[in-house]
Amino acid sequence: MTKEIRLLTMDQYEDMMELSQFAFQYEVPPAKHAEARDRFEHEEAERWGIYMDGKLAAQLGLLDFHTYIGGKRFAMSGVAGVSTWPEFRRQGLVADLLHHSLVQMKEKGQMLSFLHPFSVGFYRKFGWELYTDLKTYKIDTGLMPPRTSYNGTIKRVAVDYELLNPIYQVYAKRINGALDRSEAWWNYRIKSSKKGQTVVYFDTAGVPQGYVIYVVKNRELLVHEFIDLTEEARLALWTFLSQHDSMIDQLEIKVAADDGQAYLLANPRIKQEIMPYFMARIVDAEAFLREYPFEASGEETSIVLDIQDEHAPWNEGIYQVSIDSDGKAHVQRLSGENNQETIQTGIGALAAMLTSYKRPTELLRYGQIHGHRHFVEQLERRIPVRTTFLPDFF
């Protein structure tokens, strides 16, 4: 049986859609075919497939994104739509596609890759690691935040890229792992997946400082997106949501895992659930370390990382990482015998640390990394503490 990896084009659209609809158990209604085809054609993505004797057996998509880490913008490839016909499963086809994809990402200068896993354990084998969780609040009407007075105004608006994206971008730069959303992403994804009502909070100077996208249905208020840039905006938007008390029995909202809204409630005993969400992978470790915004301090720090990465062999090696007082790293790959103390880490654990999802000393305690505690603590002091959150799905 012949096996061939191909870059898929619109000529293979019907093959791709047939497999996608089967694997993810959905159906595009006839009235939506033209819209789905147009979105598929204009999305910034590459799609790769494996053909077995001329039949599409497995596929995945690589979406071109940028994400923020430490307020800095990095090129990132989003892996999506991984699917295989049942008769071709457990033959290593997805592994072949992932290995091929990592090469493509590196050649395009994409230092990171994100994906939503069907199985965390499966993707861990290939170097992806969890980088963010979702916390879900379910708040009964009687436990919602109290309404307070505010000086600005709230206006109901359409989902407008020009108005909402500047607010979102300020917020996204404050957290690790959020997308730098393009206009096409707002138009094709946000509008279609987050239907309902949108309101914006404007301060007394008329400057937009936050927004909420939400829907009310069957006496439940579901918040798709809650973005606030100031405490005043947060209070005003929660007051607005509490104004729906006569219409609903419950509010549901998904937030970052370290969100503190429950603490602020008069009665914090609400339903809370934390679930692992997206995974991250470092595609090019040397390049990422050079560009990574380490914590500024009054001193220089030098550590040696021994990185293991069997699925992206260009990352394997020992690196001297010298971080100056401003947080800029000079990275040198060491060759030959090394007599210095090292921190041994797999590529997945390195992603968990550098996205700020897990602290180095925590991973040391778990046995996920190895090395002298003194050097691990030095590394930890130079990795900024940041919230990880992704208010999107792909």
Side-chain angles (χ1 to χ4, degrees):
M1 183 172 282
T2 60
K3 179 169 68 174
E4 180 187 6
I5 296 179
R6 297 185 195 171
L7 177 64
L8 304 177
T9 67
M10 289 303 296
D11 292 338
Q12 290 83 43
Y13 175 78
E14 297 300 334
D15 288 347
M16 290 185 278
M17 286 302 293
E18 184 183 11
L19 176 51
S20 293
Q21 290 179 95
F22 174 82
F24 300 109
Q25 301 175 49
Y26 73 96
E27 185 175 349
V28 178
K32 296 287 187 179
H33 280 182
E35 179 185 336
R37 191 179 183 94
D38 180 70
R39 183 171 63 194
F40 193 88
E41 186 173 11
H42 291 93
E43 202 164 44
E44 294 183 5
E46 286 183 356
R47 292 169 181 84
W48 292 90
I50 291 185
Y51 276 78
M52 304 292 284
D53 286 346
K55 176 179 173 59
L56 179 63
Q59 64 180 355
L60 58 71
L62 302 179
L63 289 79
D64 293 336
F65 288 127
H66 286 83
T67 186
Y68 292 108
I69 303 291
K72 191 170 184 177
R73 189 172 179 264
F74 288 90
M76 182 270 288
S77 179
V79 179
V82 181
S83 48
T84 310
W85 285 109
E87 60 268 32
F88 295 109
R89 288 176 186 163
R90 295 175 178 84
Q91 297 180 33
L93 301 189
V94 171
D96 291 342
L97 283 174
L98 291 175
H99 289 141
H100 178 81
S101 298
L102 287 169
V103 174
Q104 302 303 310
M105 295 174 199
K106 186 174 186 298
E107 289 180 352
K108 293 174 70 173
Q110 295 169 320
M111 300 181 197
L112 297 170
S113 174
F114 293 171
L115 59 79
H116 183 263
F118 77 92
S119 164
V120 171
F122 177 82
Y123 285 105
R124 273 180 170 159
K125 293 187 297 184
F126 297 97
W128 277 264
E129 184 51 84
L130 289 168
Y131 90 87
T132 190
D133 301 327
L134 280 184
K135 181 192 288 187
T136 301
Y137 293 141
K138 293 185 178 180
I139 309 176
D140 291 341
T141 306
L143 301 179
M144 287 176 64
R147 294 182 292 276
T148 61
S149 60
Y150 52 87
N151 295 321
T153 57
I154 287 180
K155 295 181 182 178
R156 195 173 302 275
V157 300
V159 175
D160 178 3
Y161 169 78
E162 296 293 339
L163 174 60
L164 300 183
N165 193 57
I167 309 170
Y168 167 81
Q169 289 289 351
V170 173
Y171 172 80
K173 291 175 184 178
R174 294 176 179 176
I175 58 179
N176 281 352
L179 299 184
D180 175 8
R181 292 176 178 169
S182 66
E183 185 171 3
W185 187 259
W186 277 95
N187 290 334
Y188 282 111
R189 290 299 185 100
I190 304 301
K191 285 184 178 179
S192 63
S193 65
K194 300 185 177 183
K195 294 182 180 296
Q197 305 292 317
T198 303
V199 297
V200 175
Y201 173 73
F202 296 84
D203 65 17
T204 54
V207 178
Q209 299 288 0
Y211 67 83
V212 172
I213 304 175
Y214 73 103
V215 65
V216 177
K217 189 175 182 180
N218 299 325
R219 294 197 61 80
E220 180 180 71
L221 192 157
L222 175 64
V223 178
H224 293 307
E225 207 159 293
F226 188 114
I227 303 294
D228 60 274
L229 304 185
T230 64
E231 178 62 9
E232 183 182 68
R234 186 189 70 81
L235 289 170
L237 291 170
W238 271 112
T239 293
F240 169 79
L241 293 175
S242 293
Q243 296 279 23
H244 294 73
D245 56 347
S246 64
M247 301 174 59
I248 64 172
D249 299 318
Q250 187 180 73
L251 177 146
E252 180 176 324
I253 182 173
K254 289 179 170 59
V255 295
D258 65 352
D259 181 84
Q261 180 59 47
Y263 170 77
L264 298 172
L265 296 176
N267 183 352
R269 290 180 175 173
I270 61 172
K271 294 178 182 178
Q272 300 184 53
E273 181 181 47
I274 296 178
M275 290 289 290
Y277 190 40
F278 261 68
M279 302 180 81
R281 194 196 203 284
I282 298 173
V283 175
D284 189 333
E286 187 171 351
F288 186 54
L289 286 166
R290 282 202 179 99
E291 295 298 322
Y292 185 82
F294 286 96
E295 189 76 57
S297 73
E299 59 183 12
E300 296 185 0
T301 303
S302 182
I303 57 172
V304 181
L305 294 177
D306 183 351
I307 301 174
Q308 297 92 46
D309 188 352
E310 62 178 303
H311 297 287
W314 55 83
N315 288 329
E316 288 261 2
I318 299 176
Y319 300 84
Q320 179 92 43
V321 183
S322 303
I323 309 167
D324 67 21
S325 59
D326 294 325
K328 175 68 176 175
H330 173 75
V331 182
Q332 180 183 3
R333 184 190 287 263
L334 303 180
S335 58
E337 186 176 347
N338 172 61
N339 297 318
Q340 300 181 71
E341 288 275 0
T342 66
I343 298 173
Q344 298 95 48
T345 177
I347 198 69
L350 187 63
M353 290 187 287
L354 295 183
T355 57
S356 299
Y357 182 67
K358 293 294 179 185
R359 303 302 290 170
T361 51
E362 184 181 2
L363 294 183
L364 179 68
R365 183 171 72 251
Y366 298 153
Q368 299 294 301
I369 64 173
H370 303 278
H372 194 286
R373 187 174 184 86
H374 168 73
F375 295 104
V376 175
E377 289 174 346
Q378 278 192 321
L379 174 61
E380 182 159 315
R381 285 193 293 270
R382 302 309 301 269
I383 296 177
V385 176
R386 285 240 175 183
T387 292
T388 64
F389 186 47
L390 178 64
D392 280 295
F393 178 84
F394 52 84

